[in-house]
Amino acid sequence: MSSQVRIRLLPSARCLFDDPIQVKVAGLKSRQVVTMRARSSDDKGVVFTSSATYRADGNGEIHLDRDPAISGSYTGVEPMGLLWSMRPETLHRRFIKVNSLNPHVVKFSVHEEEEEGRMLAEATNERLLIGDRVSRIPVKQGNIRGVLFIPPGEGCFPAVLDLYTSGGGLSEKRASLLANRGFVVLTIALYGHDDMPTNITEMHLDYFEEAIEFLRNHDKVGSDGVGVISLSKSGDLAASVASYLSGVKAIVWINGHSANTIFPLYYKKKQVLPPLMFDFHKIIPHESGACIIKYGVHDPRTEENKATQIPVEKAEGRFLFVSAEDDLNWDSKGYVDMMVERLKHHGKDNFECICYPGAGHYLEPPYGPYCPSSFHGVVRRTVLWGGEPRIHAAAEVHMWQKIQEFFRANLSCNAAEATAKL
């Protein structure tokens, strides 16, 4: 490596996963053309990489928030491009970061264009999922299996139930990141975690009710109700939780469904919603080796499927519907339209909608690698998720801020109530 060339990561080489950073290179020759690279691995050991070619300015410097990439994994001015454009070295793998104790460690490097890309400088960015003094508490109480995250300080804090699941198991990433921003968050597993059964044939609202009451009774929680955040299949679970259970004040529904899918839904040992099923004959093969499953879900509006529709008009809380127009998992935007139509028909206006043209199915906290395709645990096939990488990455930044604003606006904290729990 060159002793003159250096990479600076500002404001610090150590930051939270969802924080942007400035990447700057100094000590290059005037107008020198170099390649910037990023490399990391996920919790499964899959390696992710990206690269982009830049030309230094007259002072031998490159600022990623100012200078355009000439070629590579992306082009143009993209300050965080090396992060969101990382791709797996193994085809059709999704970036898996489920344990909040494992930071996302990214190696940035700068290389000469000649001499087989000799490395000139390297710097390490440690992107933390859990901030300093945020408490991480495994929960095994009653039927609940999950992890509770509590921000530092005396409280009171607004409470959120995170239904982000990884194959039914547990994913801590989104929950811990929300806790860094001032929310008490409980993320729970649905199946396949700890002593829970690996395979299930039905879902029970009683489980979510128990989790909601756990949050509401916690002495660090000051909100009079809880928020619920979801993604994909857990979107219909979140809508059902809000429609059938009390104490839910704010619901973030991300690329979910307007009907109950896959599993029949029970409450108090009685089935409340039958499942909307999937037609495997409508899967479309793709030249990439993956397939498109968007058109495989049955239509919930047909007479034989109407009973699967979630009665969202019963919900007392407020909805934030987030959909991606290029979602190839299913028609998220269309399902939002169905729920909005149903709410309006019942005289309800307790919702707001955000739609992202050009974004795909996996809308997550920002600055992780974009996922174009991976294995789908339900259909047991590798599928395309949709989205244009640059647009999808920008949507995640906007959505993440909007989610926090939505919860803060709709989960008011009552200090007197929190004190009464102590």
Side-chain angles (χ1 to χ4, degrees):
M1 289 191 292
S2 170
S3 60
Q4 296 179 336
V5 181
R6 61 190 182 279
I7 300 174
R8 290 185 295 161
L9 306 176
L10 302 173
S12 172
R14 189 171 184 263
C15 65
L16 292 175
F17 183 97
D18 54 345
D19 275 343
I21 57 167
Q22 296 181 51
V23 182
K24 298 184 178 183
V25 182
L28 297 169
K29 299 173 185 176
S30 177
R31 310 297 178 187
Q32 182 177 356
V33 176
V34 295
T35 297
M36 295 288 300
R37 296 178 184 171
R39 182 182 180 90
S40 184
S41 60
D42 69 1
D43 286 352
K44 298 290 186 180
V46 177
V47 175
F48 288 74
T49 61
S50 63
S51 65
T53 301
Y54 286 89
R55 184 184 302 276
D57 64 13
N59 296 319
E61 295 187 357
I62 296 171
H63 298 186
L64 266 63
D65 60 347
R66 177 196 68 186
D67 301 321
I70 302 168
S71 62
S73 302
Y74 58 92
T75 58
V77 178
E78 291 291 336
M80 301 291 283
L82 286 171
L83 291 178
W84 59 252
S85 71
M86 284 197 290
R87 295 291 178 271
E89 292 188 345
T90 304
L91 192 63
H92 303 313
R93 298 296 291 270
R94 186 166 70 88
F95 179 76
I96 302 296
K97 210 71 184 171
V98 295
N99 189 328
S100 62
L101 300 178
N102 298 332
H104 177 31
V105 178
V106 182
K107 296 282 188 180
F108 290 104
S109 55
V110 57
H111 301 254
E112 288 183 338
E113 283 296 273
E114 296 81 21
E115 299 183 27
E116 298 182 352
R118 181 172 69 94
M119 184 188 295
L120 301 175
E122 186 179 43
T124 300
N125 181 205
E126 189 178 17
R127 308 186 63 79
L128 307 177
L129 274 72
I130 185 168
D132 294 337
R133 297 171 55 226
V134 170
S135 300
R136 176 190 179 274
I137 306 169
V139 177
K140 187 175 182 180
Q141 179 173 312
N143 294 306
I144 304 171
R145 300 293 181 269
V147 177
L148 180 70
F149 294 92
I150 304 174
E154 296 300 319
C156 58
F157 301 107
V160 175
L161 177 63
D162 188 344
L163 301 185
Y164 193 123
T165 61
S166 179
L170 202 60
S171 177
E172 301 179 18
K173 179 175 71 175
R174 188 170 64 184
S176 61
L177 293 176
L178 277 174
N180 297 335
R181 305 303 177 184
F183 300 92
V184 171
V185 188
L186 173 64
T187 181
I188 57 174
L190 301 183
Y191 54 91
H193 173 73
D194 197 19
D195 57 355
M196 303 178 82
T198 302
N199 298 308
I200 61 171
T201 57
E202 57 195 40
M203 290 279 184
H204 290 262
L205 286 170
D206 311 72
Y207 179 58
F208 305 106
E209 186 173 51
E210 190 175 346
I212 290 168
E213 289 308 305
F214 173 88
L215 275 173
R216 295 183 73 182
N217 292 326
H218 197 280
D219 58 16
K220 289 286 187 176
V221 172
S223 51
D224 57 356
V226 306
V228 178
I229 185 169
S230 61
L231 171 67
S232 194
K233 160 60 190 172
S234 66
D236 67 67
L237 289 175
S240 295
V241 164
S243 300
Y244 289 100
L245 304 180
S246 60
V248 180
K249 297 297 183 181
I251 309 95
V252 175
W253 178 104
I254 305 170
N255 288 337
H257 207 295
S258 59
N260 177 57
T261 62
I262 307 169
F263 303 109
L265 187 65
Y266 286 79
Y267 184 48
K268 305 297 184 184
K269 299 182 179 180
K270 179 182 178 182
Q271 181 174 298
V272 291
L273 291 173
L276 186 70
M277 301 308 289
F278 191 89
D279 186 349
F280 286 88
H281 294 99
K282 294 183 178 179
I283 290 177
I284 302 172
H286 189 267
E287 59 185 11
S288 66
C291 58
I292 298 173
I293 63 171
K294 180 173 183 174
Y295 310 102
V297 183
H298 289 298
D299 188 344
R301 295 167 296 184
T302 60
E303 193 61 37
E304 63 269 25
N305 293 321
K306 281 185 178 179
T308 67
Q309 294 183 24
I310 301 164
V312 289
E313 69 277 3
K314 294 182 178 181
E316 297 178 356
R318 185 167 183 85
F319 289 98
L320 174 62
F321 295 124
V322 181
S323 62
E325 282 194 3
D326 196 34
D327 186 348
L328 292 183
N329 182 72
W330 50 27
D331 184 14
S332 298
K333 175 61 168 61
Y335 302 145
V336 169
D337 293 342
M338 291 180 199
M339 288 187 289
V340 166
E341 180 182 357
R342 183 167 184 140
L343 287 167
K344 287 182 176 179
H345 177 75
H346 287 86
K348 304 292 287 286
D349 61 357
N350 57 332
F351 62 89
E352 49 193 292
C353 305
I354 307 175
C355 181
Y356 295 109
H361 184 68
Y362 265 110
L363 285 172
E364 299 193 284
Y367 311 130
Y370 157 76
C371 178
S373 61
S374 67
F375 185 75
H376 193 299
V378 174
V379 301
R380 312 300 296 174
R381 288 168 169 79
T382 299
V383 306
L384 296 177
W385 299 113
E388 193 281 320
R390 185 194 309 266
I391 297 173
H392 187 94
E396 289 182 331
V397 173
H398 181 271
M399 179 193 71
W400 190 234
Q401 185 62 38
K402 182 64 180 177
I403 287 170
Q404 295 171 57
E405 293 171 356
F406 175 78
F407 278 145
R408 290 193 183 100
N410 293 282
L411 296 175
S412 58
C413 278
N414 185 333
E417 182 176 334
T419 302
K421 297 175 185 176
L422 298 177

